[in-house]
Amino acid sequence: MDATTQITPTFLTQRELSELLRMPERTLEDWRLMQTGPPYIKLGRLVRYDVQDVLTWVREHRHG
């Protein structure tokens, strides 16, 4: 088994991310339109969020 087969990224749906961040799904949609929210991936019509990208984005937006 090589290094690439050991990597298992976890992708969240919009609903899962909204539950994780405790905010409305509509806010995530607005952020995508304004290009201000966490990075996302489009797979056809599906939107997915890489957990590591989201955690990095959250840390970068921390105040105090």
Side-chain angles (χ1 to χ4, degrees):
M1 196 182 279
D2 63 31
T4 57
T5 57
Q6 296 175 4
I7 298 171
T8 50
T10 303
F11 296 99
L12 301 174
T13 64
Q14 177 176 290
R15 174 170 288 164
E16 292 168 333
L17 182 58
S18 98
E19 290 172 3
L20 177 68
L21 297 178
R22 296 183 179 174
M23 61 180 38
E25 288 185 59
R26 182 62 197 191
T27 299
L28 296 174
E29 294 169 2
D30 290 343
W31 284 352
R32 284 198 309 271
L33 289 172
M34 297 184 303
Q35 300 179 354
T36 60
Y40 64 93
I41 300 164
K42 284 279 284 201
L43 303 170
R45 294 170 49 190
L46 302 175
V47 174
R48 296 293 182 260
Y49 295 89
D50 184 322
V51 170
Q52 293 305 315
D53 288 345
V54 170
L55 294 175
T56 299
W57 180 83
V58 167
R59 281 192 285 281
E60 290 170 355
H61 288 82
R62 185 175 178 174
H63 296 277

